Amino acid sequence: MAVQAERITPVPGSFSGAALRADFPAFDAPTREGKRLVYLDAAASAPKPRAVIEALTDMYSHHYANVHRGIYELSEDATGRFEGARGTLAAFIGAPSEREVVFVRNATEAINLVAYSWGRTNVGAGDRVVTTQLEHHANIVPWQQLTSEVGAALDYVAITDDGRLDMDDLRAKLRSKPKLLAVALVSNALGTINPVAEIVALAHEAGALVLVDAAQAAPHMPVDVAALDCDFLALSGHKMLGPSGIGALWGRRELLDAMPPFMTGGSMIIRVTLEGAEWNEVPAKFEAGTPAIAEAIGLAAAVDYLNALGMPNVREHERYLFEAAWAALGEIPGVRLLGPADPDLHAGVISFLIEGVHPHDVATVFDHEGVAVRAGHHCAQPVMLRYDIPATTRASFYVYNDTDDVEALAAAVRTTQALFA
């Protein structure tokens, strides 16, 4: 859905986040404290623009039927829209073919699909898998389970004091000739942007395939699987303005073709007899049962919305907000900022600590100020262990945020400090 032109500033490569809030019903009403909602939790999930809500409503109201098998107009209409959504998402991530895009519930399911299907076929006793200390649990636990079950080893690339991957340690881990490297493009806990194209080149030179967790990257910056040269890529729709319950796995066609199904049942078969079954082609082979039909259409509407803004513009917008927030919080005594200070290495996510105040208490005070942030370990407990901290407060920016939100964040920090003084 196109964004109204008057809501985009004439400055090249930029737009007004404050103006875009009109597209999001979540900002229509004040908080229970009568404050303007300052939503700084996009890294967990993002509000939905009206274009996405309307696409869902229209699909359920006028176009809904089960897909692929119905030989009647409504089903054919639904199938065309569903497969059209696949094509929209494929183009968004630069996939060579829409048949390489598998719809799943979220990035977590996408990673598990690879771990169960590719992993249990290709990783055995004595093999190695590498991931990093910087990962979300969804990119750690599936590999722990896989390596434990098959008798393989799991190595973790270390992270530096300022939250970057230790590239020397990565090279050392790759010398063990792992079968797979699993790495996030952007850290959900620290906001670190990893040099994934360089990492992929090193991994391929060592003979490893690479899975990229793009859950925190696809909503916020251009992501091109061809440019990254990765082998698998996972993303979630709900973080990129789309509905929950829909995400995608992209994989190289030859890899997907060789992998056994993740789940079995209807749709993913060509023929079933009492003696056995013959699997369908990719991507149907990995989409057993009735899929999230309307949610896929909603995700395509979200992609259209982001495309109208321009993903390079989205990245520059958030880069500016990061710089402003990093500077504002850095001027406040008693605030510890985590992650790289370089805006080229840091997405629009800031994790911080306020001296003497637990992050859960910080988030509670912020809530009374109308500022919604995340507090906790962010499903990244190894990161917390690395820095010997129990949790952080995390503020994450998106297209609807603006400099007034940065000011509200800094003001909420000062209010918290005054309250606990």
Side-chain angles (χ1 to χ4, degrees):
M1 300 293 177
V3 179
Q4 293 182 15
E6 64 268 24
R7 292 180 183 163
I8 302 177
T9 68
V11 179
S14 184
F15 53 84
S16 167
L20 288 188
R21 285 176 211 146
D23 291 342
F24 294 80
F27 300 110
D28 288 351
T31 69
R32 62 175 175 266
E33 302 291 336
K35 308 278 189 177
R36 176 181 72 84
L37 173 62
V38 178
Y39 191 85
L40 299 176
D41 198 22
S45 198
K48 315 308 169 194
R50 285 183 172 83
V52 170
I53 296 168
E54 290 167 1
L56 286 167
T57 301
D58 180 61
M59 184 64 195
Y60 276 124
S61 299
H62 305 296
H63 307 286
Y64 184 84
N66 214 329
V67 295
H68 298 138
R69 295 181 297 278
I71 309 175
Y72 55 91
E73 180 181 352
L74 194 59
S75 177
E76 291 173 352
D77 178 32
T79 299
R81 292 169 183 271
F82 179 75
E83 293 300 333
R86 192 191 307 277
T88 296
L89 184 58
F92 184 69
I93 60 171
S97 169
E98 62 189 50
R99 295 179 66 85
E100 296 176 331
V101 173
V102 178
F103 281 128
V104 291
R105 289 181 301 166
N106 43 46
T108 298
E109 184 175 321
I111 295 169
N112 274 272
L113 192 163
V114 176
Y116 276 88
S117 180
W118 180 90
R120 283 157 179 78
T121 303
N122 293 279
V123 179
D127 288 333
R128 307 190 84 86
V129 173
V130 175
T131 186
T132 86
Q133 295 179 10
L134 198 57
E135 305 303 310
H136 188 284
H137 295 164
N139 207 21
I140 293 177
V141 179
W143 311 117
Q144 290 177 336
Q145 292 291 101
L146 168 65
T147 54
S148 175
E149 288 178 17
V150 304
L154 179 60
D155 296 323
Y156 299 92
V157 178
I159 51 179
T160 64
D161 289 344
D162 66 346
R164 294 176 294 114
L165 288 182
D166 184 330
M167 296 298 286
D168 289 335
D169 189 51
L170 170 67
R171 292 181 178 90
K173 296 294 193 298
L174 290 175
R175 283 196 285 271
S176 67
K177 300 296 182 182
K179 288 291 189 73
L180 179 84
L181 168 65
V183 62
L185 182 46
V186 172
S187 163
N188 76 301
L190 300 180
T192 307
I193 302 174
N194 290 319
V196 166
E198 177 186 356
I199 290 169
V200 169
L202 292 170
H204 283 172
E205 185 178 346
L209 298 184
V210 181
L211 179 144
V212 174
D213 176 1
Q216 297 293 340
H220 303 287
M221 61 189 63
V223 171
D224 187 315
V225 295
L228 293 174
D229 197 30
C230 57
D231 302 288
F232 300 103
L233 183 136
L235 60 83
S236 289
H238 70 96
K239 295 181 189 296
M240 49 192 289
L241 305 180
S244 58
I246 187 72
L249 169 71
W250 172 84
R252 295 187 187 275
R253 179 65 185 273
E254 63 271 20
L255 295 173
L256 296 176
D257 283 341
M259 289 160 53
F262 177 38
M263 294 187 294
T264 55
S267 297
M268 51 72 61
I269 47 83
I270 292 176
R271 182 171 180 267
V272 177
T273 68
L274 296 181
E275 288 70 40
E278 181 181 354
W279 310 138
N280 209 334
E281 294 183 349
V282 171
K285 180 171 67 171
F286 297 108
E287 295 179 355
T290 298
I293 302 166
E295 288 77 6
I297 276 72
L299 177 54
V303 168
D304 288 342
Y305 186 94
L306 290 171
N307 280 335
L309 293 175
M311 292 309 296
N313 296 336
V314 172
R315 168 61 185 144
E316 285 306 307
H317 179 76
E318 293 181 19
R319 186 183 188 278
Y320 180 85
L321 293 179
F322 162 76
E323 289 188 275
W326 188 270
L329 297 185
E331 293 175 353
I332 303 175
V335 174
R336 176 187 175 189
L337 299 170
L338 299 172
D342 186 344
D344 289 333
L345 304 178
H346 206 130
V349 176
I350 297 182
S351 275
F352 61 94
L353 297 165
I354 298 178
E355 184 179 352
V357 189
H358 193 282
H360 290 167
D361 293 325
V362 173
T364 300
V365 176
F366 277 31
D367 182 45
H368 285 279
E369 299 301 308
V371 180
V373 294
R374 182 70 45 160
H377 54 65
H378 316 298
C379 293
Q381 287 178 299
V383 174
M384 305 301 128
L385 292 171
R386 167 63 176 80
Y387 296 108
D388 194 26
I389 54 179
T392 70
T393 304
R394 183 186 70 189
S396 46
F397 298 98
Y398 208 4
V399 297
Y400 41 72
N401 294 121
D402 218 321
T403 52
D404 55 349
D405 295 328
V406 173
E407 294 167 2
L409 172 64
V413 169
R414 292 189 173 91
T415 297
T416 303
Q417 289 177 319
L419 181 63
F420 281 87

